[in-house]
Amino acid sequence: MVNNYQDHRFADTKKYSAGKILAIAASFLGLIAASCSQQTATNVSAKSDTTSNTVTTKTTEKNNVIRLGYQKGGIIPLARQRGELERQLTAQTIKVEWIGPFDRCATLLSSLNGNRADIGGCGDIPSISGIAAGQPLCIGSVQRPRPDYLGNAILVRGDSPIQKPADLVGKKVAVNQGGAGEYLLLKVLEKANIPKEKVQRVYLSPNDAAPALYQGSVDAWAVWEPYISIAELEHKARRITTTHPAPTYGILIVRSDAAKENPVAVKAALTALSEDGEWLNQNTSAASDFLVKELKLSDAVAKQVTKNRGPESYVFPNSEDVANLQKTADWLLEQKIIPQRVDIATAICPLGTTASR
């Protein structure tokens, strides 16, 4: 069992594995004697064919690599451990590369933006924020909101006098800027009719927010799993929210050029990830075991994380999903969390998966 939070710090690796594109070198040996025009024409034709074959081979090899970026604790690293996704894609001559782990969505999105990964798992808030910031991203598949979802919470120290959202007035709350934490806090304040200006938001990454809460530098922390269960079970923190006032979508976000250039590979990977999620839903004990191995969590923490996160069910978005995500994007613009409006309909990946259903 791991008791030290530092063991749970998710290092943001700076070394990324680029897709290895193999080129087949073509050589053409011309005939020494080139006395007749017919022979010259034959040589030019052969050279043209060889060049065409080389370009085709390069394109095929490029399109047969898919790079999956991941944070710890999501569906992608669990799929990596299980191995079924890689077997399925290999059977389709698609090579899989795993990029990560990343400590939060912002660094994962940066990897997608920098062409170091093709697909990653994030929440809808950071995904929309990334698109609004001009990052070349599109929405591949979604996990629909669940009203009973306990994967997000506002936490306080166990000995804190704060008992309810109204007690946050005049206090400091750690959130990730433009992410799920800031969204949760603002929605909680909105529901409680508390002006957002009366609560100080302190922008910190999860790795910095955790010690800030435990050491008293901030009064509360708006965060998600697995940080919630680690804080509750190993650091005696407690939640002051039990449900999310505006449950969020999970997003499998895709680098736009990957969706355009490698649509078959991207769609195959998204489909396989959905199947991994459904398998995990039928094997919750296996999901906990994966978390123990992946995050080095205690059994108790892993079981609570699995319970709080609920089912992992990713589907291709339909018209209702697009409308719901548009409402979220418009709200983010109203709150000045994002700099410009995002048209969700045009932000869906062009994979031929958006028919109403």
Side-chain angles (χ1 to χ4, degrees), residues 25 51 70 78 98 111 128 130 137 153 185 195 216 236 241 254 277 323 340:
T51 302
Y70 63 95
L78 298 186
W98 306 94
S111 181
I128 292 172
L137 306 169
L185 174 63
K236 302 188 186 316
T241 58
V254 181
Q340 61 181 334

Side-chain angles (χ1 to χ4, degrees), residues 189-211:
L189 296 179
E190 183 178 76
K191 184 177 181 179
N193 295 315
I194 301 169
K196 62 184 179 182
E197 295 79 13
K198 291 190 175 183
V199 177
Q200 182 179 348
R201 280 168 276 169
V202 180
Y203 294 128
L204 295 172
S205 70
N207 287 346
D208 294 326

Side-chain angles (χ1 to χ4, degrees), residues 36-184:
C36 70
S37 59
Q38 177 64 41
Q39 185 173 357
T40 301
T42 301
N43 288 346
V44 171
S45 176
K47 184 174 182 179
S48 176
D49 289 345
T50 303
T51 302
S52 176
N53 289 339
T54 301
V55 172
T56 301
T57 302
K58 287 181 178 179
T59 302
T60 300
E61 289 168 349
K62 180 179 180 181
N63 289 346
N64 281 351
V65 177
I66 199 75
R67 300 167 298 175
L68 299 175
Y70 63 95
Q71 300 179 76
K72 290 220 171 190
I75 185 63
I76 293 179
L78 298 186
R80 180 190 184 195
Q81 284 192 46
R82 186 177 174 224
E84 184 59 28
L85 178 147
E86 195 157 2
R87 284 189 288 271
Q88 286 188 29
L89 268 60
T90 297
Q92 300 175 57
T93 67
I94 300 170
K95 181 181 178 182
V96 178
E97 294 181 358
W98 306 94
I99 312 298
F102 299 98
D103 65 337
R104 60 192 187 280
C105 280
T107 50
L108 174 53
L109 294 179
S110 177
S111 181
L112 290 166
N113 185 40
N115 191 17
R116 295 184 291 271
D118 300 313
I119 299 175
C122 278
D124 56 0
I125 308 306
S127 297
I128 292 172
S129 296
I131 294 171
Q135 295 181 345
L137 306 169
C138 63
I139 297 169
S141 59
V142 300
Q143 179 168 261
R144 292 171 178 144
R146 301 181 299 275
D148 58 347
Y149 176 64
L150 295 176
N152 297 78
I154 296 179
L155 301 175
V156 297
R157 293 181 298 280
D159 60 355
S160 172
I162 298 172
Q163 300 294 327
K164 57 187 183 299
D167 297 333
L168 294 174
V169 172
K171 300 296 192 295
K172 297 178 180 179
V173 183
V175 299
N176 59 321
Q177 186 173 13
E182 184 171 23
Y183 181 71
L184 170 61

Side-chain angles (χ1 to χ4, degrees), residues 228-239:
I228 295 170
S229 293
I230 293 171
E232 286 183 319
L233 298 182
E234 298 188 357
H235 297 275
K236 302 188 186 316
R238 56 181 171 81
R239 61 169 69 214

